[in-house]
Amino acid sequence: MRYPKLFAPGRIGNLELPNRIIKAPTSTGMSNIDGSVSERLIRHYREVAKGGTGLIIAEYAYVDDIASKSAHCQLGISSDEHISGLTLLAETIKEQGARAGIQIEHCGRQKFLGTPPIKAASAVPWLALKARSGDKAIPEQLSIDEIAQIVEAFGDAARRAVAAGFDLVEIHGAHGYLITNFLSPHTNKRTDRYGGSFENRTRLLVEIIESARSKIGHAFPLTLRLSGTDYEPDGFGIDETIEVARIAESLGIDAIHVSGGDHHQMIHQVSPMSVPRLHNVWAAEAVRKAVGIPVIASGSITLPDFAEEILADGKGDFISLGRPLWADPQWSNKAREGRQEDIRPCIRCNDGCLDRTFFRFRAVGCSVNPEIGREGDLQVTPARQAKKVAVVGGGVAGMEAARVAALRGHRVTLFEKRSLGGVLQEGSVAEFKSDLRFLNDYLATQMDKLGVDVVRRRAEAADIVGRFDAAVIAIGGQASAPPIPGIDGPRVMDAIDVFNGGATPGRRVLVLGGGETAVEVALYLQQAGREVTILHRRDELMARDCTITDKISYGEMLARAGIEIITGLQATEISGGRVTAADRNGRTRQFEADSVVTALGYGPNRDGLAAALREGGGMAVYEVGDCVRTAKVYDAMHAGYRAGCRL
């Protein structure tokens, strides 16, 4: 076996686990509005539990009906009336061979819903929520009586989990939720017995553990999730986390699940691809050296090679996976079977699972897995009649359409004049975008394994008409070229050409644009030793369609790099190495540079092929991806998937 450590049996308390892989408790937004278990949630967890993961910790469940609920359609465990549905959830997970756990939580100041009441240790708001909801996002400081009620609510929630048949309960003491609000000096400004000293700040957690143990006994597996640090300058560091872990062990906690960050420092909690992989494993290693109970490591452990290395190096006893099991619920089975190349990789884009979920009040989605959240509704099924299908374009949308079509039994030919990957090739050149390489490798591998015939040239209508029954056009987008005098000059080059090596900028570079591509090419060139300035006509960089974690991460990277950013100026003329720009009032400024790199947006590529095929008649023609509307990996992957299902 390639991963002997990963697939060795393990134990948490008296709970035997078949392997060392644990599904992290990630919220789906698929429960009913009252927190009860929905049929959709059952279908989802049935598929996840089929994947071979040893322990499934179902998503965080709120413990009371006062102020603990964080998100829309969140799972609840606040009432005995929840037990019936939770029993079905636990049974469904266990019927597939996995162990079933559940996490219990109080959101504290981090209430995505933004609705009152919001209760926390002190009146310190989550700044992103305050920017959206105003003063109503400022939490009310909990009274002593309210704290006592919450302690009881946690104990009652643990009791309900046992009654529902779960094998394990986890207390959520991480990620900036209520327990962390008390642990961290950043959010705890109290002067009573719950604030100030380390002993006082840990008092709530101690009382919650004691309450849970009093109601479920000392034999039932009880774990605690902690942030190694909240990454706040005035916050909670690893030394205090280690002491908390030791206290928890003494109180009967059976394992420590180590993560990091809070919602203000979200890039450390849900790290984007610009943050190194295995981001919080260092903290798990530090805690493991200090306690005698198992430690669960987490944080961007996207592939089994990474997981095996962590276990082999003694940095953790178990591996926790959140987003990777949304990207591919069969992650564990494929790793055990030695099919790691078939694992659909999480690219840590945080688009479907975070931005389109929590910030848009939708159920969970995934950029690379269109089926997640649509289990039993959206799935690949055999075609009623096998067809000869032409796919034109080997980017994300084209390869996904080809993959699904081939799985359904169609004979697929894919035309691509370049190497497979489309703009994934340019998009993954920078090291801070390297997760995209895993997706490209996965899709290209599937083309080979599924017998897709890849033709390495441009497709013409004559290559397709009369030879195929259907065609999918996925030829991508093209750079926008606004009518700026001099934009076609010899010192001007497009960002895509910079990434693919088709253009080499000089020492001083002026980047025109302020979207993600502009920021990424600026950072890439600065890391390559160039002096870079960004010139953007809007007042804010990355203002449109950029995930919250990319905004945070890229903002920090730009600040560290010392890249000059000039906003509110529109380039009006390029002459040699001189760019003239004007503000809204017509006042002009001039900038000197050796090279000008444009990243001014991209539009659909309408080369006429789809129209020509339709005119030829006799075949269904589908256009997908950037050739229809330039968007993100999420949109391209989902469009390709649906096209493959329609054929």
Side-chain angles (χ1 to χ4, degrees):
M1 181 177 289
R2 180 164 178 169
Y3 307 109
K5 298 288 186 183
L6 197 57
F7 289 97
R11 178 190 288 270
I12 294 177
N14 62 13
L15 179 63
E16 292 280 354
L17 300 179
N19 56 53
R20 301 303 177 109
I21 308 168
I22 295 173
K23 181 207 166 288
T26 41
S27 184
T28 62
M30 288 195 287
S31 297
N32 294 315
I33 194 170
D34 62 354
S36 59
V37 172
S38 68
E39 177 59 30
R40 186 182 185 189
L41 193 73
I42 293 296
R43 294 199 306 268
H44 170 73
Y45 276 101
R46 181 180 292 115
E47 291 305 311
V48 173
K50 287 179 180 178
T53 296
L55 170 64
I56 307 292
I57 304 180
E59 54 206 71
Y60 66 177
Y62 59 88
V63 299
D64 68 32
D65 295 321
I66 302 170
S68 67
K69 184 178 181 180
S70 172
H72 59 286
C73 295
Q74 182 184 349
L75 187 63
I77 196 167
S78 60
S79 165
D80 285 354
E81 290 191 358
H82 286 134
I83 294 175
S84 176
L86 291 170
T87 299
L88 179 59
L89 177 60
E91 289 176 349
T92 298
I93 292 170
K94 293 192 287 186
E95 285 167 358
Q96 309 309 317
R99 308 296 185 263
I102 192 168
Q103 186 184 74
I104 54 178
E105 69 88 41
H106 188 298
C107 67
R109 73 174 189 156
Q110 292 179 174
K111 192 173 188 178
F112 277 99
L113 294 170
T115 54
I118 299 175
K119 303 276 189 174
S122 303
V124 180
W126 172 25
L127 294 180
L129 184 62
K130 187 174 186 295
R132 189 184 82 195
S133 302
D135 288 346
K136 69 179 183 180
I138 299 175
E140 302 172 31
Q141 178 169 302
L142 285 162
S143 69
I144 298 296
D145 288 343
E146 288 175 322
I147 291 172
Q149 292 171 8
I150 289 170
V151 169
E152 287 299 304
F154 268 96
D156 288 338
R159 171 185 58 78
R160 294 182 188 107
V162 175
F166 285 96
D167 300 308
L168 175 147
V169 174
E170 178 166 281
I171 296 169
H172 197 355
H175 297 167
Y177 291 104
L178 183 69
I179 292 173
T180 320
N181 295 166
F182 278 83
L183 291 174
S184 177
H186 178 69
T187 45
N188 189 340
K189 309 299 181 183
R190 303 176 73 98
T191 57
D192 60 11
R193 62 194 179 99
Y194 288 96
S197 68
F198 173 77
E199 180 183 5
N200 286 351
R201 287 184 281 113
T202 58
R203 191 180 306 278
L204 173 68
L205 175 58
V206 168
E207 292 176 350
I208 286 173
I209 295 172
E210 291 174 340
S211 175
R213 275 291 176 219
S214 72
K215 296 185 179 184
I216 65 174
H218 289 274
F220 192 85
L222 182 65
T223 64
L224 172 65
R225 194 166 204 190
L226 293 173
S227 290
T229 170
D230 56 11
Y231 291 93
E232 298 287 359
D234 58 343
F236 195 69
I238 186 63
D239 292 339
E240 289 194 329
T241 297
I242 288 171
E243 290 306 310
V244 170
R246 286 172 170 157
I247 292 169
E249 180 181 15
S250 72
L251 294 171
I253 288 293
D254 294 304
I256 304 294
H257 189 173
V258 181
S259 186
D262 59 17
H263 284 3
H264 181 237
Q265 299 287 351
M266 196 171 284
I267 60 171
H268 303 293
Q269 176 190 339
V270 191
S271 58
M273 66 182 83
S274 53
V275 171
R277 290 179 284 274
L278 319 186
H279 185 56
N280 289 307
V281 172
W282 67 271
E285 180 181 17
V287 171
R288 189 173 186 268
K289 291 177 180 178
V291 298
I293 53 178
V295 170
I296 305 165
S298 70
S300 294
I301 307 169
T302 53
L303 296 174
D305 285 345
F306 304 146
E308 181 74 10
E309 182 180 353
I310 291 166
L311 296 175
D313 291 346
K315 295 178 180 179
D317 299 287
F318 293 88
I319 298 299
S320 167
L321 304 176
R323 293 170 293 171
L325 289 181
W326 279 339
D328 195 335
Q330 289 288 321
W331 193 101
S332 303
N333 282 339
K334 291 176 180 178
R336 187 183 66 253
E337 295 163 4
R339 297 193 294 121
Q340 60 278 354
E341 75 278 4
D342 292 330
I343 291 175
R344 186 168 39 215
C346 169
I347 58 174
R348 300 193 296 152
C349 62
N350 294 338
D351 189 2
C353 58
L354 182 62
D355 267 44
R356 300 192 196 210
T357 303
F358 287 104
F359 293 104
R360 302 187 195 180
F361 298 96
R362 299 177 180 177
V364 69
C366 177
S367 287
V368 301
N369 182 8
E371 294 180 32
I372 208 72
R374 300 288 302 275
E375 292 87 357
D377 174 28
L378 189 67
Q379 55 193 347
V380 176
T381 57
R384 287 180 294 179
Q385 179 181 356
K387 300 177 181 177
K388 293 181 65 178
V389 176
V391 177
V392 182
V396 171
M399 283 196 286
E400 179 65 358
R403 184 187 73 87
V404 173
L407 283 173
R408 297 187 63 222
H410 296 305
R411 289 170 291 169
V412 183
T413 299
L414 188 151
F415 293 87
E416 174 54 65
K417 62 182 178 181
R418 300 200 306 160
S419 298
L420 293 177
V423 292
L424 281 183
Q425 297 177 74
E426 288 83 5
S428 63
V429 167
E431 195 58 36
F432 55 83
K433 298 279 285 186
S434 61
D435 284 37
L436 292 176
R437 300 171 196 167
F438 298 132
L439 177 60
N440 198 12
D441 290 345
Y442 161 77
L443 287 169
T445 297
Q446 300 314 301
M447 298 302 96
D448 181 56
K449 297 185 77 167
L450 293 170
V452 173
D453 182 18
V454 178
V455 177
R456 301 288 185 176
R457 62 179 172 81
R458 175 187 174 92
E460 304 294 343
D463 298 314
I464 300 172
V465 174
R467 301 182 181 185
F468 293 90
D469 303 308
V472 177
I473 309 303
I475 56 177
Q478 56 187 351
S480 299
I484 301 172
I487 198 169
D488 56 352
R491 296 193 188 186
V492 183
M493 55 201 72
D494 183 72
I496 295 296
D497 291 329
V498 172
F499 282 128
N500 65 27
T504 303
R507 183 176 61 85
R508 295 178 305 159
V509 180
L510 183 67
V511 175
L512 300 184
E516 284 186 85
T517 303
V519 170
E520 288 165 2
V521 76
L523 289 167
Y524 171 70
L525 289 172
Q526 188 276 332
Q527 291 175 359
R530 307 302 202 279
E531 297 175 14
V532 183
T533 299
I534 296 176
L535 182 66
H536 185 38
R537 64 187 179 92
R538 300 185 185 276
D539 295 326
E540 180 185 354
L541 295 184
M542 300 176 289
R544 297 181 176 182
D545 297 328
C546 182
T547 65
I548 182 64
T549 49
D550 278 345
K551 287 182 181 178
I552 296 171
S553 180
Y554 285 159
E556 292 184 0
M557 292 172 71
L558 288 168
R560 289 195 301 268
I563 292 174
E564 184 179 11
I565 300 168
I566 301 170
T567 58
L569 291 177
Q570 169 72 58
T572 57
E573 184 180 4
I574 304 171
S575 178
R578 177 175 297 169
V579 175
T580 302
D583 64 16
R584 294 180 181 86
N585 297 315
R587 294 187 295 261
T588 62
R589 288 179 59 184
Q590 291 187 331
F591 303 88
E592 299 286 341
D594 298 314
S595 302
V596 177
V597 174
T598 59
L600 297 170
Y602 299 87
N605 182 4
R606 301 288 189 180
D607 71 346
L609 178 59
L613 294 179
R614 291 190 178 102
E615 289 174 2
M619 71 168 61
V621 179
Y622 304 93
E623 294 178 90
V624 298
D626 284 357
C627 70
V628 178
R629 181 178 65 88
T630 53
K632 294 190 171 188
V633 169
Y634 182 106
D635 306 284
M637 198 85 171
H638 284 235
Y641 179 94
R642 283 172 171 78
C645 287
R646 292 173 65 190
L647 290 164

